[in-house]
Amino acid sequence: MSTLPTLSPQTKGTRRRRKVEPVKIFSFITLVVTTFLMLLPLFFMVSTSLKSKREMLKFPPTFLPESWQWSNYTEIFDTLQFGTLYKNSLIIAGLSVVGTLISSALVAYGFARFRGKGNQLWFILLLSTMMLPYPAIMIPQFVLFSQMNWIDTFLPLIVPAFFGSAYNIFLLRQFFSTLPEELFDAGRIDGCGEIRMWATIALPLSKPALATVAIFAFIYNWNDLLTPVLYLSSSEKFTLPVGMASLTSSRFRIPPWHLLMVASVLAMVPIVTLFAVAQKQFVEGIVLTGIK
Amino acid sequence: MNKNRKSSALVLATTMLVVLALSGCSGGKSAGNALSEGNGGSTNSGGKAETVTITHYTIDSEDRTFVEKLIPDFEKQHPSIKVKVEKAPYEQFDSKLQTLIAGGKSPDVTSHWGYGGFAEYYNKDMLLDLTDLIKEDGFKAADYNIPENLMNIYKVKDHTYGIPVNMYVTLMLYNKDMFDAANLTYPTSDYEDKNWTFEKMVDQAKQMTLVSDDIAKTQYGVDFTWSERDMRPLFFGAQPYSEDTWTNGGVPSETYFDSPEVIAAYNKLFDLVFKDKVSPSSEWSKSVAGQNGDPFVAGKIGMSIGGSWNLAGANDFPFKIGVAAVPWGGNDKVRSTLYVDPLLILKDSKHPKEAFEWIKYLITTEVQEKSIELSGGNPPVNTEAAEAYYKHFDGIDPQDIKNVYEGAVKYGFESYNHLITNYSQINDMFINELQPVETGHKTVEEVMTTIQKKVTEIIHR
């Protein structure tokens, strides 16, 4: 999913006068070929999602379905309680994004704007939490949440997001540090408090960074399998990855790949949508900072 | 500054509250359930006898979660016991189980349905010794038509740790269409037929093999996936682990992977691919059927030796199939691997007695018969219910399946993965170390010394 660089005004003006260079043709062809290669698995995913169970087993595989099984897209809702899984995943990933954005942006703002004793030490401590792999904290965390009686609820999957994550804090801190001090001075003269400056100056200027964090957080939580597996045990609370993993869970049956592909196609939709929306934010952010 | 900090704390606290409330709504009902059921379910129902909730932990796939449908009947018969099914996908089965136990939320009943085997559970001290429960209850395997030799599999030093529930065996599936095209007679399902040997199988396979430049036309005679890699020498009569392995909780005192017999056995197997060229290479299988797929299902293999779970998909195969005995490979006692899944009670179970009631219910003839249908063809351990299992598959003669099952039990050996400690590590090591042999880059002789050294290390970990 690469984005093509937008032409800056300088190159736009000179483009007409230039002749078509062979290097450009070459790079254009390379781009087309790579794009094609990148899209091939995606194409097979969509194509398999429309095949019948029998056709999916065929070798060599058919490029396009012999008979188009649009019914696969309704069948998935019967076999997997797909609607429930989708809703659960959206709730968890959505609220986690909100949580991550609020908490990480607040903490990052603190680290970027305030100087205090041991500031650097705290920051290093925060970053060092990134070195801890999840399995290392898995059991203590489970014991903690289990004592709080949070097992089989969404809480262990959502609440931790409201306590920030080291990587996102780091990313946002670096961005906030680049904001010119003059803007905040101006705010201070106008009588802004720190929270107001955070909300009305720092955040609107950081849309590209926030969009990045939002995408990271969403993708991470949308795809997360291990945490929901650990904390959820009733089927009606399962998330999409858990349901999809269960489709291939049987050691004794041929997995219904065609249905799994349907699920994958549908699971891609929110991520693609989010990316499309956030991409606009990226560009807008660049334009805004450019003008100022 | 101070004021600002206060207000930021206030903002954070408010957002936290809002979110807690929101997420509470989405999972609120269940939080209530978790409260009443999670703590061992010691809630009073109607002020009478105390109701106990037990958890059955299983894989989240249709052939395992069918037990949910058996619960209402059980609860009717046992009003004071409630059963809750907890599940995880296959890949995460072990990690969730470990976390549940470590977190003090141990399920009551489960089996080794993940990667780890019985011996691993036993050596980690996860299992409850059922001997006293059995004695107290007057439980007799014969009442449930469970053969005594199957009961012995999960005994360690005369203590019983598991009650068998399902039994898979090794069998041969063959593609009748390919046999017809090559004008060959179908292989026998009779284990006593002395003509049905490994050599005869290779001979028939040669007549069905067709290697062509066009990958779509290529087909092979036989795919020999008899059990896990470390167990395969046993088929030819070579012994990879010392005898004491089976009596002392799965820790062999010696292993013989670099012995001439074991090396010869592996060579015989790899000859199928590299010398006789009647079996597909692992790369070819992967290219035809994907990472974990089976080229037999794609109709490219004449005979496939594997676990009887392959039968479960039989009704979907795009060709006619038959079931045959595993040929004789040189071991007079062992020709089939048995995969007997036991029901286990975990040591941390708070209600072992009630858990045992549930186990007994699951192995009654009636429930085992029902389970075959509900699971889509799980083979029962109950010999009476097995009759219904033999008739379950369309287009396959029930007598053939019966012959193969009975022969397999007679000439069967319980799968090593259930009996040897740290088995998931041993298995991973075998897959990695044998890889260069499977691709033809190394010889069996070259890798066996390393394997012998590594197996010893893993066992004594």
Side-chain angles (χ1 to χ4, degrees):
Chain A
M1 296 226 198
S2 59
T3 52
L4 286 170
T6 47
L7 290 170
S8 65
Q10 288 97 319
T11 47
K12 248 184 200 168
T14 49
R15 202 171 58 161
R16 250 181 232 167
R17 270 170 257 154
R18 243 181 232 169
K19 275 185 198 167
V20 185
E21 292 165 32
V23 182
K24 276 204 168 163
I25 298 178
F26 177 75
S27 55
F28 180 74
I29 292 173
T30 321
L31 274 177
V32 169
V33 172
T34 342
T35 314
F36 180 74
L37 285 177
M38 296 288 233
L39 285 177
L40 203 61
L42 209 68
F43 170 80
F44 264 103
M45 179 169 93
V46 179
S47 154
T48 311
S49 77
L50 291 164
K51 288 177 185 172
S52 68
K53 193 169 184 186
R54 239 168 222 200
E55 201 186 336
M56 132 206 129
L57 294 175
K58 250 193 188 165
F59 188 85
T62 45
F63 206 62
L64 285 169
E66 280 163 1
S67 65
W68 298 66
Q69 302 286 322
W70 293 103
S71 57
N72 288 348
Y73 278 78
T74 47
E75 200 185 327
I76 189 90
F77 284 87
D78 303 328
T79 40
L80 254 192
Q81 310 171 275
F82 199 71
T84 318
L85 297 179
Y86 216 87
K87 191 189 82 195
N88 294 345
S89 275
L90 277 178
I91 292 173
I92 290 170
L95 286 174
S96 299
V97 169
V98 175
T100 310
L101 281 179
I102 295 174
S103 59
S104 299
L106 255 182
V107 179
Y109 185 75
F111 273 121
R113 305 265 319 137
F114 299 123
R115 295 276 160 270
K117 224 180 181 185
N119 198 317
Q120 212 56 27
L121 186 77
W122 285 111
F123 194 60
I124 290 169
L125 203 67
L126 173 87
L127 288 185
S128 65
T129 60
M130 274 164 63
M131 313 296 165
L132 278 178
Y134 181 66
I137 57 163
M138 192 166 90
I139 290 174
Q141 208 179 55
F142 183 86
V143 174
L144 173 80
F145 288 139
S146 132
Q147 304 226 326
M148 293 163 85
N149 259 321
W150 280 9
I151 304 301
D152 209 18
T153 70
F154 289 166
L155 294 174
L157 309 175
I158 298 169
V159 175
F162 282 82
F163 290 84
S165 75
Y167 181 75
N168 293 326
I169 292 171
F170 173 69
L171 199 113
L172 288 172
R173 186 198 107 128
Q174 298 311 96
F175 200 88
F176 288 151
S177 308
T178 62
L179 296 177
E181 187 61 38
E182 291 78 10
L183 285 174
F184 295 97
D185 286 342
R188 215 161 281 134
I189 290 165
D190 287 347
C192 264
E194 281 298 333
I195 285 289
R196 186 123 180 243
M197 283 200 279
W198 171 70
T200 54
I201 300 174
L203 289 190
L205 286 176
S206 316
K207 274 183 190 165
L210 291 172
T212 314
V213 168
I215 290 180
F216 281 159
F218 188 84
I219 292 181
Y220 176 80
N221 287 289
W222 184 254
N223 290 339
D224 188 20
L225 173 63
L226 193 57
T227 338
V229 160
L230 287 183
Y231 289 108
L232 305 175
S233 44
S234 330
S235 316
E236 70 274 9
K237 280 185 215 122
F238 280 175
T239 60
L240 209 50
V242 182
M244 282 164 71
S246 300
L247 270 185
T248 55
S249 236
S250 174
R251 285 175 292 169
F252 307 146
R253 300 265 150 96
I254 313 154
W257 294 117
H258 57 312
L259 293 183
L260 198 72
M261 291 304 131
V262 174
S264 311
V265 170
L266 294 176
M268 234 173 56
V269 174
I271 294 185
V272 173
T273 317
L274 185 73
F275 195 80
V277 174
Q279 200 182 20
K280 210 182 120 204
Q281 295 298 324
F282 282 140
V283 179
E284 203 173 288
I286 293 165
V287 173
L288 273 177
T289 41
I291 289 169
K292 279 177 181 171
Chain B
M1 200 66 160
N2 223 350
K3 197 180 150 202
N4 287 332
R5 263 196 209 141
K6 253 187 200 166
S7 54
S8 69
L10 201 71
V11 168
L12 188 68
T14 327
T15 11
M16 286 295 305
L17 269 174
V18 169
V19 165
L20 274 172
L22 272 176
S23 46
C25 286
S26 50
K29 266 184 209 159
S30 40
N33 290 347
L35 267 174
S36 62
E37 286 174 324
N39 298 337
S42 48
T43 40
N44 282 339
S45 68
K48 280 184 193 168
E50 225 176 85
T51 310
V52 155
T53 303
I54 55 163
T55 353
H56 178 101
Y57 177 59
T58 193
I59 296 184
D60 191 12
S61 78
E62 280 169 71
D63 51 346
R64 294 282 168 226
T65 49
F66 72 91
V67 286
E68 284 174 337
K69 294 179 187 140
L70 300 168
I71 295 173
D73 261 358
F74 173 79
E75 288 180 350
K76 222 178 267 168
Q77 290 172 31
H78 303 82
S80 59
I81 311 176
K82 293 237 169 300
V83 183
K84 208 178 120 197
V85 171
E86 201 161 319
K87 44 202 170 181
Y90 176 53
E91 298 288 330
Q92 284 74 31
F93 183 84
D94 291 319
S95 47
K96 178 160 180 171
L97 182 61
Q98 298 287 351
T99 317
L100 285 173
I101 292 175
K105 293 266 173 193
S106 169
D108 298 277
V109 178
T110 189
S111 183
H112 51 202
W113 283 311
Y115 281 110
F118 169 80
E120 205 162 318
Y121 289 8
Y122 170 80
N123 285 316
K124 281 187 182 156
D125 203 19
M126 286 158 61
L127 304 176
L128 185 80
D129 179 358
L130 305 176
T131 321
D132 292 340
L133 267 177
I134 288 175
K135 214 184 265 171
E136 208 178 299
D137 187 85
F139 172 89
K140 277 193 201 71
D143 294 345
Y144 300 87
N145 305 310
I146 302 175
E148 204 52 45
N149 61 330
L150 298 187
M151 275 301 288
N152 290 337
I153 296 173
Y154 296 108
K155 268 187 195 164
V156 181
K157 294 168 192 147
D158 286 329
H159 287 258
T160 306
Y161 290 89
I163 312 280
V165 62
N166 289 120
M167 181 179 64
Y168 302 86
V169 300
T170 319
L171 45 74
M172 173 186 273
L173 291 184
Y174 59 91
N175 184 327
K176 281 188 171 173
D177 297 352
M178 272 173 76
F179 269 79
D180 291 343
N183 267 330
L184 289 168
T185 48
Y186 298 144
T188 177
S189 64
D190 181 6
Y191 266 84
E192 306 304 331
D193 185 342
K194 299 280 179 247
N195 289 320
W196 186 223
T197 60
F198 187 77
E199 284 68 31
K200 175 97 186 278
M201 177 190 81
V202 174
D203 190 48
Q204 291 206 329
K206 275 182 187 156
Q207 297 179 57
M208 282 185 286
T209 303
L210 198 132
V211 181
S212 152
D213 288 338
D214 180 0
I215 194 161
K217 280 189 189 139
T218 300
Q219 58 178 46
Y220 286 97
V222 65
D223 194 10
F224 199 90
T225 47
W226 192 86
S227 196
E228 299 295 354
R229 288 166 178 76
D230 63 331
M231 197 171 178
R232 289 178 195 166
L234 191 66
F235 176 78
F236 298 101
Q239 186 79 278
Y241 297 97
S242 56
E243 280 297 331
D244 57 3
T245 312
W246 331 116
T247 49
N248 68 348
V251 189
S253 59
E254 274 180 280
T255 54
Y256 314 112
F257 282 98
D258 50 359
S259 74
E261 295 79 26
V262 170
I263 290 177
Y266 276 116
N267 274 324
K268 225 168 163 179
L269 277 183
F270 286 112
D271 279 352
L272 290 175
V273 182
F274 299 111
K275 209 175 115 209
D276 305 319
K277 297 191 168 54
V278 291
S279 284
S281 65
S282 53
E283 294 107 317
W284 187 85
S285 296
K286 268 178 206 159
S287 65
V288 166
Q291 188 67 34
N292 298 310
D294 182 354
F296 178 76
V297 176
K300 301 284 169 191
I301 306 282
M303 295 172 272
S304 166
I305 288 90
S308 55
W309 47 82
N310 290 340
L311 256 180
N315 298 343
D316 286 327
F317 294 170
F319 47 87
K320 285 204 285 303
I321 69 158
V323 175
V326 177
W328 178 80
N331 189 336
D332 286 327
K333 290 198 185 105
V334 184
R335 275 160 79 177
S336 166
T337 315
L338 299 179
Y339 304 86
V340 176
D341 284 343
L343 287 169
L344 313 161
I345 299 183
L346 292 167
K347 207 169 191 180
D348 294 338
S349 163
K350 291 184 187 81
H351 310 288
K353 266 193 188 160
E354 287 78 5
F356 195 63
E357 285 300 317
W358 168 242
I359 290 181
K360 283 195 302 180
Y361 172 78
L362 289 177
I363 52 173
T364 51
T365 310
E366 191 201 337
V367 173
Q368 288 245 295
E369 271 172 5
K370 221 191 270 176
S371 306
I372 300 167
E373 283 306 317
L374 291 175
S375 63
N378 282 4
V381 81
N382 183 320
T383 47
E384 208 177 306
E387 294 294 331
Y389 170 76
Y390 304 142
K391 294 182 195 122
H392 181 80
F393 303 97
D394 299 339
I396 306 175
D397 186 358
Q399 191 58 44
D400 277 341
I401 303 181
K402 189 177 177 171
N403 286 349
V404 164
Y405 247 83
E406 287 177 352
V409 173
K410 193 172 168 193
Y411 297 103
F413 198 91
E414 181 61 21
S415 174
Y416 285 2
N417 73 331
H418 299 161
L419 301 175
I420 295 174
T421 194
N422 295 336
Y423 197 80
S424 33
Q425 292 165 40
I426 294 182
N427 196 35
D428 284 347
M429 186 274 286
F430 258 89
I431 292 172
N432 292 335
E433 293 299 325
L434 279 181
Q435 184 93 32
V437 186
E438 280 165 13
T439 52
H441 290 93
K442 271 187 179 175
T443 63
V444 173
E445 286 80 357
E446 280 174 299
V447 295
M448 277 306 152
T449 26
T450 325
I451 288 185
Q452 168 68 12
K453 216 178 94 207
K454 289 197 172 169
V455 159
T456 320
E457 273 169 27
I458 296 173
I459 282 165
H460 296 294
R461 233 170 238 175

